[in-house]
Amino acid sequence: MDRTTQLTIRRTGTTTPARTSGSPAPPGSHEITHSGAHVYDPDRPTGSLHLRAARVLEGNWTGTSTVPSHGLYPHQWSWDSAFIAIGLRHLSPLRAQTELETLLGAQWGDGRIPHIVFNPSVPLDAYFPSPDFWRSSTAGRAAGAPRTVQTSGIVQPPVHALAAWLVHQADPGLSRSRSFLSRMYPRLAAWHRYLLHRRDLGGGGLASVVHPWEQGMDNSPCWDAPLSRVTPAAPRSFRRADLDHGSAEDRPTDLDYGRYVRLATDYRDGGYADGAGEFAVEDPAFNALLIASEHALAAIAQELGAAGTARHARAERLTTALVERLWDPTEGMFFCRDVYGGDARDGGESGALGSDRRSSESGAHGSERGSRSGALGAEPRSTESSAHASERRSLQSSAHASEQRSRTGALIPERSVAGLLPLILPALPRDIAATLVRTAGGPHFGLGGIARLAPSYDLTGHAFDPHRYWRGPAWFNTNWLLERGLRLHGEHGRAEELRAALLETADTSGFAEYVDPYTGEACGALGFSWTAALTLDLLHEPARADQADRADRVDHSTHVVSHPGHRAFDKAQGTPPHTSHASHTTHTPHSSFETGAKGGDRG
């Protein structure tokens, strides 16, 4: 039996103890066993999509983590590992736990989870920016960077608590025997505190990204306008390793790369202190993932014996802030906010964005995949402590007072798939969720119509390119999130169509990094880890639970509105379903929400 076959075993109802094959115990941990013998599943024929996805993950496994791909991305990336763990849980819950443990083992003292954890055995010239560029152990000393491992100094989207909760659910017995959640919870809580306190640069409650690579959609046209303020680094001051593995026509431009290097250099030279740079953007996808993970962190707290109610309440407040600051009812989707911009209309008054579309200079076309590129303590209070509040006020005032920047900022008039991803939120008002579904299927994204998968950028946009990095191609992780969101809000038929398209595209593209949204033609790296991992998740999570969820949804009275998917979330978490509120809440685009959401998995 080869190692890939070992990864495709499944547990039977017997009681023979066994440790999942091919999954080494993390350093310093004891030998791990859990109940249930493991046998090869004969229903998976050789060459099946399931086995081929498992082979990708086996081939990209380093012993403690999984690289996105060995050529272009030879280290561990933050949100990649979260998505990879979500898929790995179906093959080896122990390896999925190890994936997250390795990543969080490189967490900084201020709570940030770095976007890259570098493998010291990889030559420095194999990837740029390399460890000697970031200088984490020296430049990041004041922020608590680890001294025993080299990392980058920026972050990526906070999918980690959601991933940890789903991994726990895959084998609760194994998770409890290893104290997985009790060891992860303090680190995940510190990660969320960092984002909510140190990164609230706009003062409206949402987290800001300080570099395009942090949002994950590195080369999005959404960054063109705020990046136009950044003076690029000199071309001869860096060497791009990505062009050794991909066509220049599909990668960021040299001019843009110079801007990314300048931002990262200034951030590093400032000791990785937040708030002093030229770039700060509130992104709807980044914050939606933070909210979903806050719900998941509440579920983890409940599993560990705490109430979790404060975290659910925080997630709902963040959902309110997301709508107030980033929702455009006229355009029917969410937009990024340039925190330091001030020449566009604000918030709900920013309709008809198309007429205000600014022409960014043609050079602003890139980012680098470089973006790729203990015991539970007391449940945190729903309001931040006076110490945290004082710290945040101090950080914000010192960062912004001298430059007198607008804290309101301006919405960025570019339609990105990021503006659809708040659909993953269970407490999103139903009218907004319905509008997002219509926008996804309309001319800008063509989902279920002219596009096989939702593109990363507006099909009709001035900067659309079906093959250039994040400026039009379709990505597996964003479409996987959309599939979850559609199913959560009762769009079962559309979700099943998207699931089928994702599986077919993964199959025919060789698990490509990204694809042409019209044809599904493979682009970027092949044998890409999160594509394989999320394929496994879709194969293991068919629509069989939808009808049960649909039948289980009822309005308890004329005063209570039930959200599609809420009970699925409740069941997944093992928590009782939300019951009633005293009065009906009338939905408006910016204020009121039902507060019964219990975040977690859909099934």
Side-chain angles (χ1 to χ4, degrees):
M1 183 184 298
D2 63 26
R3 297 188 71 204
T4 302
T5 299
Q6 290 173 341
L7 271 177
T8 62
I9 53 184
R10 64 186 174 91
R11 192 169 55 190
T12 67
T14 61
T15 58
T16 305
R19 184 159 69 85
T20 306
S21 301
S23 300
S29 68
H30 54 282
E31 180 72 3
I32 305 303
T33 64
H34 61 104
S35 62
H38 290 81
V39 296
Y40 175 67
D41 185 349
D43 296 332
R44 311 282 186 193
T46 301
S48 71
L49 185 61
H50 181 277
L51 278 176
R52 284 186 285 120
R55 289 192 183 106
V56 169
L57 296 179
E58 179 63 24
N60 290 340
W61 175 250
T62 68
T64 55
S65 64
T66 309
V67 298
S69 71
H70 278 292
L72 184 53
Y73 314 122
H75 302 285
Q76 182 179 25
W77 265 261
S78 173
W79 77 326
D80 289 70
S81 278
F83 288 121
I84 289 164
I86 289 171
L88 272 177
R89 68 188 170 123
H90 301 296
L91 300 177
S92 170
L94 178 56
R95 184 176 289 190
Q97 292 178 28
T98 302
E99 185 81 36
L100 296 174
E101 289 164 351
T102 300
L103 177 67
L104 269 65
Q107 187 173 25
W108 289 29
D110 63 3
R112 81 181 75 191
I113 297 174
H115 96 295
I116 301 176
V117 180
F118 289 106
N119 183 343
S121 67
V122 174
L124 288 178
D125 62 357
Y127 182 81
F128 180 84
S130 51
D132 56 343
F133 172 86
W134 296 104
R135 305 172 198 164
S136 61
S137 59
T138 53
R141 186 173 300 166
R147 297 188 179 185
T148 58
V149 62
Q150 293 296 312
T151 76
S152 64
I154 59 176
V155 303
Q156 275 192 322
V159 199
H160 311 88
L162 176 61
W165 177 241
L166 298 181
V167 167
H168 163 79
Q169 288 183 305
D171 194 332
L174 173 66
S175 176
R176 290 166 187 147
S177 73
R178 302 186 67 242
S179 302
F180 172 67
L181 290 182
S182 63
R183 287 184 291 110
M184 293 295 101
Y185 182 89
R187 292 182 176 274
L188 293 168
W191 168 223
H192 286 208
R193 281 196 302 272
Y194 168 78
L195 293 174
L196 292 169
H197 300 322
R198 301 289 184 91
R199 288 301 189 89
D200 182 11
L201 302 179
L206 299 181
S208 293
V209 297
V210 299
H211 195 291
W213 294 345
E214 292 197 313
Q215 192 266 359
M217 303 178 193
D218 311 350
N219 200 26
S220 172
C222 294
W223 318 134
D224 292 355
L227 277 175
S228 67
R229 298 190 294 264
V230 178
T231 301
R236 295 183 180 180
S237 65
F238 60 91
R239 176 192 173 277
R240 297 181 57 177
D242 63 315
L243 297 182
D244 296 339
H245 302 276
S247 169
E249 287 75 22
D250 294 342
R251 302 295 299 173
T253 66
D254 287 341
L255 177 61
D256 289 328
Y257 216 100
R259 289 189 169 108
Y260 308 134
V261 171
R262 171 66 67 190
L263 277 178
T265 300
D266 291 348
Y267 194 40
R268 177 199 67 199
D269 293 347
Y272 296 109
D274 295 310
E278 299 179 83
F279 184 98
V281 173
E282 294 172 353
D283 174 75
F286 191 99
N287 281 280
L289 288 168
L290 175 59
I291 295 166
S293 281
E294 191 69 16
H295 278 303
L297 204 55
I300 294 172
Q302 290 174 301
E303 166 68 21
L304 296 174
T309 52
R311 291 201 174 276
H312 282 312
R314 181 181 293 115
E316 289 158 4
R317 289 197 303 275
L318 288 169
T319 304
T320 301
L322 185 75
V323 173
E324 288 176 343
R325 291 184 65 80
L326 305 184
W327 174 248
D328 187 317
T330 303
E331 296 297 318
M333 65 181 297
F334 291 86
F335 289 85
C336 294
R337 179 175 291 275
D338 181 359
V339 172
Y340 299 151
D343 57 347
R345 290 189 295 266
D346 171 45
E349 300 175 350
S350 59
L353 285 172
S355 64
D356 289 340
R357 190 177 305 279
R358 294 191 292 266
S359 298
S360 305
E361 56 184 320
S362 60
H365 283 172
S367 142
E368 120 79 351
R369 171 71 173 170
S371 103
R372 255 193 195 286
S373 35
L376 172 65
E379 174 72 8
R381 292 182 299 173
S382 59
T383 57
E384 60 184 322
S385 67
S386 58
H388 280 144
S390 175
E391 176 186 34
R392 186 174 70 164
R393 286 193 296 270
S394 175
L395 286 169
Q396 291 172 345
S397 62
S398 63
H400 302 309
S402 62
E403 300 186 45
Q404 297 181 341
R405 288 169 170 162
S406 167
R407 289 173 61 85
T408 299
L411 293 184
I412 299 171
E414 299 287 359
R415 296 178 181 89
S416 161
V417 71
L420 304 177
L421 294 188
L423 198 62
I424 66 174
L425 300 179
L428 197 67
R430 287 185 299 178
D431 58 337
I432 291 181
T435 301
L436 285 176
V437 172
R438 289 195 296 272
T439 300
H444 299 294
F445 295 95
L447 190 61
I450 59 175
R452 177 177 295 196
L453 299 177
S456 51
Y457 175 68
D458 183 0
L459 294 170
T460 69
H462 68 102
F464 174 77
D465 185 328
H467 290 172
R468 190 179 283 275
Y469 211 62
W470 289 109
R471 302 182 79 84
W475 291 73
F476 215 77
N477 63 332
T478 56
N479 278 271
W480 177 85
L481 289 166
L482 282 175
E483 192 270 351
R484 288 177 66 92
L486 289 168
R487 206 173 294 282
L488 174 66
H489 289 282
E491 296 289 341
H492 307 290
R494 288 185 173 92
E496 189 55 31
E497 289 177 5
L498 179 54
R499 175 177 174 269
L502 281 164
L503 293 175
E504 179 186 3
T505 303
D507 189 8
T508 58
S509 72
F511 304 102
E513 180 182 0
Y514 53 98
V515 299
D516 183 306
Y518 293 117
T519 67
E521 176 189 349
C523 302
L526 300 182
F528 201 70
S529 288
W530 78 21
T531 303
L534 298 178
T535 295
L536 287 169
D537 190 64
L538 292 170
L539 288 171
H540 281 262
E541 299 286 346
R544 60 181 179 270
D546 292 341
Q547 286 73 26
D549 177 56
R550 193 180 312 164
D552 212 18
R553 284 198 314 274
V554 293
D555 287 343
H556 297 291
S557 72
T558 57
H559 299 291
V560 177
V561 180
S562 65
H563 277 289
H566 274 197
R567 288 177 176 263
F569 270 56
D570 293 334
K571 289 175 183 177
Q573 294 172 200
T575 56
H578 175 67
T579 53
S580 63
H581 282 291
S583 61
H584 173 69
T585 302
T586 302
H587 292 303
T588 66
H590 294 283
S591 58
S592 304
F593 296 87
E594 285 116 25
T595 57
K598 306 293 185 184
D601 185 22
R602 71 163 185 266

